[in-house]
C-alpha cells in the first residue's frame, strides 16, 4: 500500500496509517510445520471429498496435530477448498399440548431406527440397502445389501443383532410394507420391542436414519460404480466401519460413534483400511 504513496516518507506514511514500520520490511515466510499442516489439510480434503473443515480438524486432532477448527478453516478458505452444502432444516410435528411426537433417545439401545436406501449397479440392476442404527450413539449397526429385501430379511437382520448386541426398547421406521408386516410386528411384540411408526409423508420424523442415509449417499453411493453385488457389499461394509470407528461426528464433538480404544486413531484407521481396501481391489480385478 505504501509503495503507491509517492513523495511521502515511509516514516510519515506509517504514522498516518497507525502501522509499524517493521511491517514494511519483514517478509512472511511459512515454516516447515505450517507447510506440513497445509499439506495434511489438503490430503484429508481430497481423501474425504464431502467433509467440511470442522470434520477435517477433528480428524487432524485425532492424529495428534495441534490445530483447532479456526486454523483449519483459514487454510480451507486460502486453498479454495469446497465446503459441503448444508441440509435444509425441517419443521417438526407437534401435539396440541406442545409436546413433540418423536421420542428422543436417552441412552444406548433405547431407540433404534431402520430404513431402506436404493441404488444401482453399473449394469443398472437395482441394489437395495437396509440401514440400521442406534439413535443415541449414532453407530451404524448394519447395512445389508441385496437385489431384494423383504420382511423376512428384516426379521433375520434383527434376530442377529438382538443376539449379538441385545434387545432395544424401541425401534423406529416409516410405514413401508417390510416394516409394518404383521409377522414383523408380532415378533417384535413377543420379544418386548415397542414400534414407533412415523406419520406418512414425514421423513424428518425419522431424522437420525434419514441423516445417516444422506451421508451414505453423499459420501459413498454418489461417487462409486459397483460392478458386482459382492463388490458393493465389500465397499459399503468398509465405509460402515470407517463411519463407526474413524469418521468424526459433529453431534459427538467430532468424535466417531464407536472409536477404537486399543490403537491410536491414526494406526487404527490404517489398520482398518488396509485389509478392506485390499479386498475391494481384489473384487474390482475379478
Amino acid at each position: 500500500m505504501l509503495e503507491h504513496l509517492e513523495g511521502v516518507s515511509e516514516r510519515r506514511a506509517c504514522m498516518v496509517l497507525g502501522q509499524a514500520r517493521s511491517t514494511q520490511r519483514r517478509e512472511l515466510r511459512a515454516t516447515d510445520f505450517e507447510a506440513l499442516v497445509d499439506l495434511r489439510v489438503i490430503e484429508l480434503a481430497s481423501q474425504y471429498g464431502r467433509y467440511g473443515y470442522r470434520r477435517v480438524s477433528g480428524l487432524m486432532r485425532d492424529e495428534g496435530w495441534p490445530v483447532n477448527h479456526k486454523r483449519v478453516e483459514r487454510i480451507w478458505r486460502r486453498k479454495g477448498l469446497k465446503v459441503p452444502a448444508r441440509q435444509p432444516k425441517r419443521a417438526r410435528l407437534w401435539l396440541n399440548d406442545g409436546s413433540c411426537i418423536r421420542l428422543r433417545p436417552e441412552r444406548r439401545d433405547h431407540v433404534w431406527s431402520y430404513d431402506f436406501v436404493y441404488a444401482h449397479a453399473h449394469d443398472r440392476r437395482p441394489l437395495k440397502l437396509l440401514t440400521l442404527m442406534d439413535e443415541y450413539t449414532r453407530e451404524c449397526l448394519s447395512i445389508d445389501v441385496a437385489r431384494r429385501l423383504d420382511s423376512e430379511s428384516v426379521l433375520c437382520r434383527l434376530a442377529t443383532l438382538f443376539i449379538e448386541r441385545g434387545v432395544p426398547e424401541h425401534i423406529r421406521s416409516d410405514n413401508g410394507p417390510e416394516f409394518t408386516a404383521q409377522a414383523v410386528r408380532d415378533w417384535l411384540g413377543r420379544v418386548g420391542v415397542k414400534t414407533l411408526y412415523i406419520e406418512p409423508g414425514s421423513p424428518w420424523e425419522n431424522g437420525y436414519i434419514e441423516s445417516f442415509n444422506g451421508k451414505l449417499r453423499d459420501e459413498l453411493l454418489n461417487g462409486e460404480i459397483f460392478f458386482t453385488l459382492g463388490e458393493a457389499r465389500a465397499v459399503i461394509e468398509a465405509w460402515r466401519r470407517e463411519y463407526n470407528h474413524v469418521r468424526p461426528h459433529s453431534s459427538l464433538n467430532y468424535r466417531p460413534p464407536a472409536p477404537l480404544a486399543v490403537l491410536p486413531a491414526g494406526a487404527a484407521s490404517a489398520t482398518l483400511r488396509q485389509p478392506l481396501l485390499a479386498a475391494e481391489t481384489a473384487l474390482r480385478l475379478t
Side-chain angles (χ1 to χ4, degrees), residues 20-55:
R21 293 175 64 192
S22 60
T23 60
Q24 304 304 312
R25 299 185 177 90
R26 181 174 179 270
E27 296 182 3
L28 295 177
R29 297 179 180 178
T31 64
D32 292 340
F33 176 76
E34 291 172 340
L36 290 175
V37 173
D38 291 2
L39 181 61
R40 188 55 182 156
V41 170
I42 295 174
E43 288 176 349
L44 289 174
S46 301
Q47 182 177 356
Y48 303 99
R50 298 298 297 170
Y51 285 12
Y53 68 88
R54 292 182 182 272
R55 191 157 282 120

Side-chain angles (χ1 to χ4, degrees), residues 3-21:
E3 59 268 17
H4 299 293
L5 299 176
E6 297 182 1
V8 180
S9 68
E10 181 184 281
R11 183 190 299 272
R12 181 177 295 276
C14 287
M15 183 173 58
V16 172
L17 296 175
Q19 200 172 14
R21 293 175 64 192

Side-chain angles (χ1 to χ4, degrees), residues 170-182:
H170 303 81
I171 189 162
R172 194 192 320 269
S173 71
D174 58 24
N175 294 273
E178 300 90 350
F179 304 134
T180 59
Q182 194 63 43

Side-chain angles (χ1 to χ4, degrees), residues 10-201:
E10 181 184 281
R11 183 190 299 272
R12 181 177 295 276
C14 287
M15 183 173 58
V16 172
L17 296 175
Q19 200 172 14
R21 293 175 64 192
S22 60
T23 60
Q24 304 304 312
R25 299 185 177 90
R26 181 174 179 270
E27 296 182 3
L28 295 177
R29 297 179 180 178
T31 64
D32 292 340
F33 176 76
E34 291 172 340
L36 290 175
V37 173
D38 291 2
L39 181 61
R40 188 55 182 156
V41 170
I42 295 174
E43 288 176 349
L44 289 174
S46 301
Q47 182 177 356
Y48 303 99
R50 298 298 297 170
Y51 285 12
Y53 68 88
R54 292 182 182 272
R55 191 157 282 120
V56 168
S57 64
L59 286 173
M60 294 188 68
R61 286 195 298 271
D62 288 345
E63 294 178 355
W65 293 88
V67 297
N68 57 20
H69 70 278
K70 295 181 180 179
R71 182 172 186 174
V72 175
E73 182 185 12
R74 289 194 295 269
I75 298 172
W76 195 272
R77 298 189 184 282
R78 188 171 70 246
K79 300 298 183 180
L81 301 174
K82 180 182 178 182
V83 178
R86 293 183 179 272
Q87 296 293 328
K89 294 183 178 181
R90 301 282 188 175
R92 302 197 184 279
L93 298 182
W94 300 85
L95 298 176
N96 293 331
D97 60 359
S99 60
C100 186
I101 292 176
R102 191 177 77 176
L103 174 67
R104 296 185 179 275
E106 300 175 356
R107 55 194 171 275
R108 186 177 186 266
D109 296 331
H110 180 211
V111 182
W112 290 4
S113 58
Y114 52 8
D115 197 9
F116 287 111
V117 179
Y118 297 89
H120 289 88
H122 180 65
D123 57 4
R124 305 305 299 169
R125 295 181 63 187
L127 296 174
K128 192 173 184 180
L129 285 64
L130 172 63
T131 58
L132 198 150
M133 71 177 300
D134 186 320
E135 291 189 356
Y136 184 78
T137 64
R138 308 299 205 278
E139 181 181 0
C140 177
L141 305 180
S142 67
I143 302 179
D144 289 348
V145 185
R147 301 293 185 188
R148 179 178 176 272
L149 293 169
D150 53 17
S151 58
E152 292 185 5
S153 306
V154 173
L155 285 175
C156 289
R157 171 49 61 191
L158 291 178
T160 302
L161 286 175
F162 289 0
I163 293 172
E164 295 176 351
R165 186 182 175 96
V167 179
E169 297 182 30
H170 303 81
I171 189 162
R172 194 192 320 269
S173 71
D174 58 24
N175 294 273
E178 300 90 350
F179 304 134
T180 59
Q182 194 63 43
V184 175
R185 300 168 70 112
D186 291 344
W187 185 79
L188 289 175
R190 287 196 299 271
V191 298
V193 179
K194 299 178 182 178
T195 55
L196 302 171
Y197 295 107
I198 67 174
E199 288 293 320

